[in-house]
Amino acid sequence: MATTDQDDQLVTPWEVTAASQKGVDYDKLIKKFGSTKIEDSLIERIARLTGKPAHHLMRRGIIFSHRDVGLILDAYEKGKPFFLYTGRGPSSEAMHLGHLIPFVFTKYLQDVFDVPLVIQMTDDEKFLWKDMSVEEARRLASENAKDIIAFGFDKEKTSSPDFYKTILRVEKCVTVNQVKGIFGFNDSDCIGKISFPAIQAAPSFSCSFPQIFGGKKDIACLIPCAIDQDPYFRMTRDVAPRLGYPKPALLHSTFLPALQGAMTKMSASEASTSIYLTDSADDIRDKINKYAYSGGQSTVEEHRRVGGNVDVDVSYQYLTFFLEDDEKLAKIEKDYSSGAMLTGDLKKELISVVQQVVAEHQQRRQQVTEQMVQEFMTPRKLKYSS
């Protein structure tokens, strides 16, 4: 199962909780899941091969774990192709800041490696797990697609086509007992849940996209995702050799914590835990001031003497995700930890950064039309077509 570590933390594709105010222990999670910690040498190699600086999410350890990325880089170094795959399960009309992370990083990967990208919108998953109609799940997928397009993905490099034959091949290789063991399903779960992992697995294989790869089965896949999605791809990597396909490689990100603290991740269904991409500047200011968990002390005098704890302070944690200036972030960490900067000042810094991030996203999203959504979601050849 995807649960971890005796009672102190839980990480599944549907739930994330931790007993510590510092949040999930990612080193422990790496050991439990059997992935590999990203070392400086891998980050330096990516920068060297692409000729572009490594993304700040990698430099700061937010993209912290991987599976077989070295093999992807080996192939790239030899001039062999690979493609990217990521996705979004549309559970609400408005995406939140936490949903930005995989798409921001995926956009970087698409830009520096110049490779095709497949984005799967799993409205079927949300229909199976949530209390919503098929029509509503589809509508939310369309609305979320507008946010995703607003990240600036290249239409000639990005697709979302049909892959039903591959789904069938994966389904035939995975038993009900295996799915129960991996995901914790039981006899009262609907059969849709049992079969859904094959749907999430299918885009990992190039044969799912003949209009892009001309039926080739050996094109490698790199999947940027949050670590809670890893159980799906552990299953996928187990199935791949049996089908004669390459195992997908993965890059795992940490979670953007809820405003109330890192014991849970930000949730799209709980407004007070989240900053939505539809929030106004005033909404952002009010939420951060009211809800953002502080690592500061109980009085100004005590804070000046002892300093704040950046390991648990949500405002500082958010800045590690969204403030790209390394020198400024280091100064904030030093000043807050020493007590020279107060919690109110730290929140003010975060408010300014997040307001800008969300405002810029809203401006880009306003330019996305229904026609653009249809064009992105229509199966078609890409610039890389064989």
Side-chain angles (χ1 to χ4, degrees), residues 209-220:
F209 312 107
Q211 67 273 46
I212 303 175
F213 301 113
K216 294 179 180 177
K217 301 178 180 180
D218 60 347
I219 309 297

Side-chain angles (χ1 to χ4, degrees), residues 279-380:
D279 281 346
S280 68
D282 288 345
D283 291 333
I284 293 167
R285 181 195 64 232
D286 293 345
K287 284 185 177 182
I288 291 173
N289 281 332
K290 184 175 182 180
Y291 297 117
Y293 185 85
S294 170
Q297 306 305 320
S298 56
T299 66
V300 172
E301 293 75 15
E302 182 73 0
H303 185 88
R304 294 292 192 197
R305 185 177 67 83
V306 178
N309 183 354
V310 296
D311 290 336
V312 301
D313 191 286
V314 164
S315 294
Y316 176 79
Q317 295 300 319
Y318 277 34
L319 286 173
T320 67
F321 282 81
F322 298 109
L323 178 61
E324 295 186 20
D325 188 326
D326 289 338
E327 291 185 5
K328 187 172 183 179
L329 183 67
K331 187 176 188 307
I332 289 172
E333 179 181 9
K334 179 182 177 181
D335 289 349
Y336 190 65
S337 299
S338 69
M341 173 180 276
L342 299 176
T343 296
D345 298 324
L346 180 57
K347 287 188 175 184
K348 186 176 179 180
E349 288 282 354
L350 177 65
I351 289 166
S352 175
V353 169
V354 172
Q355 284 176 336
Q356 181 176 347
V357 168
V358 173
E360 290 175 354
H361 180 83
Q362 290 172 352
Q363 290 173 1
R364 293 192 301 268
R365 193 186 191 279
Q366 287 176 357
Q367 308 305 313
V368 179
T369 65
E370 292 293 340
Q371 180 180 348
M372 291 171 66
V373 173
Q374 289 302 314
E375 289 172 353
F376 267 89
M377 298 183 77
T378 299
R380 65 200 184 282

Side-chain angles (χ1 to χ4, degrees), residues 1-5 9-17 23-38 61-67 86 98 101-102 183 200 223-234 250-256 265 321:
M1 290 183 61
T3 56
T4 68
D5 311 318
Q9 59 184 34
L10 173 71
V11 177
T12 76
W14 310 283
E15 185 178 2
V16 175
T17 58
V24 173
D25 184 331
Y26 292 103
D27 287 334
K28 192 181 291 186
L29 202 59
I30 284 173
K31 292 179 181 178
K32 183 71 176 183
F33 282 3
S35 59
T36 302
K37 187 172 183 177
I38 291 177
I62 293 168
I63 307 298
F64 73 102
S65 167
H66 76 98
R67 294 185 187 278
T86 193
I101 307 307
F183 299 100
Q200 184 143 330
I223 305 171
C225 63
I227 188 67
D228 60 343
Q229 298 301 300
D230 190 70
Y232 285 112
F233 300 114
R234 293 204 301 274
L250 287 96
L251 281 165
H252 300 125
S253 69
T254 62
F255 305 113
L256 187 68
K265 67 176 181 177
F321 282 81

Side-chain angles (χ1 to χ4, degrees), residues 141-192:
S142 179
E143 290 300 311
N144 284 188
K146 295 175 184 177
D147 281 307
I148 294 168
I149 293 168
F151 287 105
F153 291 111
D154 189 333
K155 187 177 68 175
E156 294 186 353
K157 306 177 186 178
T158 309
S159 188
S160 184
D162 181 70
F163 41 84
Y164 185 62
K165 291 181 180 178
T166 310
I167 292 172
L168 291 177
R169 295 185 185 108
V170 174
E171 286 178 335
K172 195 168 184 178
C173 288
V174 183
T175 68
V176 173
N177 282 339
Q178 286 175 312
V179 173
K180 284 182 177 180
I182 296 169
F183 299 100
F185 298 145
N186 57 54
D187 291 343
S188 63
D189 283 313
C190 70
I191 60 173

Side-chain angles (χ1 to χ4, degrees), residues 2 55 59 76 88 108 133 136 149 161 223 316 358:
H55 199 278
R59 299 197 308 268
Y76 180 76
R88 162 72 183 140
Y108 155 80
S133 66
E136 176 65 2
I149 293 168
I223 305 171
Y316 176 79
V358 173

